[in-house]
Structure formats: C-alpha cells, structure tokens
Amino acid sequence: MNGEPIDNIRHEPVMVEEVLSFILERARHLVVDCTVGDGGHSWEILGSSSGTYVLGIDVDDEAVAVSDKRLISGFKGRFKVVKWDYRELPEALARFGVPRISGALLDLGVSSRQIDKAERGFSYWAEAPLDMRMNPAGQRTARDILSESSEEELERIIREYGEERFSRQIARAIVKRRAAEPILTTENLVEVVINAVPPRARRDKIHPARRTFQALRIAVNDELSRLARTLRRIFSLLEPGGILLVIAYHSLEDRIAKNVFRELEAGGDGKVRTRKVLRPSEAEIEHNPRSRSARLRVIER
Ligand code: SAH
C-alpha cells in the first residue's frame, strides 16, 4: 500500500499499526485527520477501512496540495482535504454541517517535508532564513522573535519550550549578538548557540542547537498555548465510542495530552485507552529514526 511520491520527499507516517488498531476496532463513518501532512495516516485509514470517510486538514498549503493530489483519485468520494487550523475544528465542521465525528487524529509537530525543505528554516543543519512558520500566512517568523523579544522572554521560550538547560546563556548570547548584527539565518543561530553552551554540551549526542530550534518553532507557531483547550474541544465533537488519538513528539505536548485525558476521564466523559503511553517499536525506530520520540495517547468517549 503506497502512493506514488509527488517528489522525492515523503513523510513517513509513524505508529501506523497502533493507530489503525484503534481506528479499526469498530465501524467509524467519519475520521478527521487534523494534521494531514502528506496524507500518510489518511492513506492507511482509507486503505484499510472501506466504510470510513476521512476529512484531512492542515494549515500548510503544500500539505493540502500534496495530500489532495495523492489521495483524491484513489479514494474518490471518501476523502476531502481543506486548509484549516485544527484549533478551529468545531467551526470547520459546523460549516460543513457535520455534528459528530467518529474519530480524530492529531499528529503534532513538523512533517519531514517541512524539515527537509531547507528554505523554511526549521533545520539547524541546512542554511536558510529563520522562518519556521507552518502556515506561511502566519504573522511572526523565528527571526522576528529573535530580534524583538526581551532577554527574559527569550530565556523563557528556550527553557520552557526547549527544556534547555543553558537557556540563560543562550538568551544572553542572542541579545549580545543581535546588538552587533542581526541573526538572520539558521547558520547564524547555530553559531550563537554553539558558542553559548559549555564545551561539554557541544559533545552531546543531541545537537546543541536542537532544543533552541524546537523552542522557536513552538513559539512561532503558538503550538502549546491552546493545546489543552483544543483537545477538549475536539473530544467534545466525538460521538459515543468515538476516539481521539494524539501523537506527541516532546514531553511538553505529551504532558498536556496526558493531563487533559485524565481530567476527561475523571469527569466521567471518557475512558483513557492508553494506560501507559505507547511508543514506536524498536523495528520502527530503526526503519524510521524520526519516529524515535513519538508517543501515542488515545481516549474514547
Ligand atoms: N500524519 C501526517 C504528517 C503530519 S506532520 C502524515 O503521515 O503524512 C504535522 C502536520 O501538521 C504538518 O503538515 C503541519 O503543517 C500540520 N499542522 C501544524 N499545526 C497545525 C494546525 N494548527 N492546524 C492544522 N494543521 C497543523
């Protein structure tokens, strides 16, 4: 089961078996793939469940175009993709006149397509302007944040969203550097970070700039501020027996999902189906190293 690649980049969907095992448990007439990306999960769902209609949404024009082209012909009449923000999913469904859904999948984070397109500025290993907007119509770029935020604000972003030990040193170095010359490219930022951290951190397995890049990406796209509310809103759209699946890639997102699911269960509204968070198998990590940090949580209404 695989579509023809549109170009040489293809995002590999993560934890497909695990996702399908929940989706296929019962008849599900409408599943919303809230982060359709290249349509990897949608493809698998449509291919293994002939009674399911999938609505795919994404804020990224390219993701909308790619998934549309890839899926629309093979699954005519069962797939539709729209450019929309999943934080406004209830409004989108109201527009389509859909009252209830059978399932929703949120595959948080960035797609390989976005990472691999160096010019979008997500990657510390490829020189590009510091953009990092998932929605190219978004307001602020990473460059704006780096040039406009106070040192305290930068420190908070890098510490909270990057869980970076050396946030103070890095924030200080950014402010110092930008007073001399603007930080415009990924390479400029990598250099600032590498010089700010102690030498032992430069020898870490994890690239010293990785956490700072993650932090900026989260800030640019405002990824966490409304996540808890969004999860509650999406959950409230589920029909009885409907499921919400969340794949997180860092502990901040995962903690939010865990807490919201617990609250919903404690309130008697749902049942957490993943007592223990699910991780990709060793085989999957070996085959697709980018799946390494994925964590799946599922709640049923
Ligand atoms: N599951 C997909 C990959 C998803 S990657 C696949 O298998 O192909 C995550 C996607 O979420 C990206 O394409 C990104 O643009 C999108 N995204 C990020 N924030 C979003 C938001 N607020 N609303 C809708 N889509 C979003």
Side-chain angles (χ1 to χ4, degrees):
M1 240 196 316
N2 216 334
E4 281 307 303
I6 308 290
D7 49 37
N8 55 0
I9 300 170
R10 165 61 65 77
H11 177 89
E12 177 103 23
V14 312
M15 302 189 75
V16 166
E17 245 175 73
E18 292 82 352
V19 167
L20 286 181
S21 75
F22 288 99
I23 299 280
L24 300 178
E25 273 175 345
R26 57 158 85 199
R28 304 204 187 269
H29 67 276
L30 172 61
V31 171
V32 181
D33 186 347
C34 300
T35 48
V36 72
D38 276 10
H41 287 105
S42 286
W43 174 280
E44 298 288 346
I45 295 168
L46 288 160
S48 43
S49 170
S50 61
T52 303
Y53 187 103
V54 173
L55 172 65
I57 64 175
D58 206 292
V59 280
D60 186 338
D61 302 273
E62 201 179 345
V64 171
V66 168
S67 60
D68 194 33
K69 189 157 175 205
R70 182 173 174 212
L71 296 178
I72 211 81
S73 53
F75 301 107
K76 230 185 170 83
R78 290 205 292 131
F79 178 72
K80 182 178 175 66
V81 58
V82 289
K83 181 178 177 183
W84 202 271
D85 190 321
Y86 59 67
R87 293 175 281 203
E88 315 293 338
L89 183 61
E91 289 78 1
L93 294 181
R95 226 174 57 162
F96 292 122
V98 175
R100 288 262 171 269
I101 61 177
S102 332
L105 169 67
L106 270 102
D107 182 10
L108 301 168
V110 227
S111 76
S112 308
R113 174 176 304 282
Q114 292 165 332
I115 294 267
D116 289 346
K117 288 259 157 123
E119 71 268 18
R120 301 190 63 170
F122 287 110
S123 317
Y124 44 75
W125 44 263
E127 170 141 40
L130 280 162
D131 187 321
M132 299 198 191
R133 287 170 304 173
M134 289 194 188
N135 180 351
Q139 299 283 313
R140 272 192 327 170
T141 65
R143 204 165 53 200
D144 297 332
I145 290 181
L146 287 170
S147 64
E148 292 161 9
S149 310
S150 67
E151 184 173 332
E152 293 69 39
E153 183 63 6
L154 287 168
E155 194 275 324
R156 184 193 65 82
I157 289 172
I158 298 168
R159 173 172 38 81
E160 256 179 44
Y161 300 160
E163 299 183 288
E164 168 64 64
R165 271 177 303 167
F166 304 112
S167 55
R168 285 237 314 275
Q169 290 89 322
I170 295 170
R172 195 178 310 139
I174 290 170
V175 170
K176 196 167 156 214
R177 170 72 173 257
R178 79 182 181 199
E181 55 181 326
I183 302 169
L184 299 176
T185 66
T186 50
E187 211 173 39
N188 296 158
L189 181 61
V190 166
E191 196 191 306
V192 172
V193 174
I194 287 184
N195 289 322
V197 300
R200 71 189 140 89
R202 289 176 215 150
R203 289 190 298 268
D204 249 5
K205 238 183 29 214
I206 292 182
H207 190 287
R210 180 174 147 164
R211 292 168 187 279
T212 302
F213 272 70
Q214 170 185 306
L216 281 170
R217 194 201 85 214
I218 291 174
V220 167
N221 298 291
D222 204 10
E223 287 175 35
L224 290 174
S225 67
R226 291 190 288 157
L227 185 58
R229 171 172 176 266
T230 300
L231 294 179
R232 287 186 210 105
R233 291 185 86 202
I234 297 179
F235 179 82
S236 73
L237 298 167
L238 296 174
E239 62 198 13
I243 46 169
L244 169 59
L245 302 94
V246 178
I247 304 175
Y249 293 85
H250 52 81
S251 49
L252 298 162
E253 282 172 352
D254 184 52
R255 205 174 307 141
I256 292 173
K258 177 165 114 184
N259 291 337
V260 169
F261 285 11
R262 275 197 186 151
E263 267 167 41
L264 288 167
E265 189 173 64
D269 294 320
K271 183 173 173 356
V272 175
R273 297 290 311 278
T274 42
R275 230 5 90 205
K276 217 172 149 252
V277 71
L278 298 181
R279 323 277 319 241
S281 65
E282 286 299 323
E284 174 166 4
I285 296 172
E286 190 167 324
H287 162 77
N288 177 17
R290 279 177 183 170
S291 69
R292 184 188 44 205
S293 46
R295 291 158 213 173
L296 171 67
R297 293 189 189 269
V298 182
I299 185 167
E300 178 175 327
R301 178 137 193 198

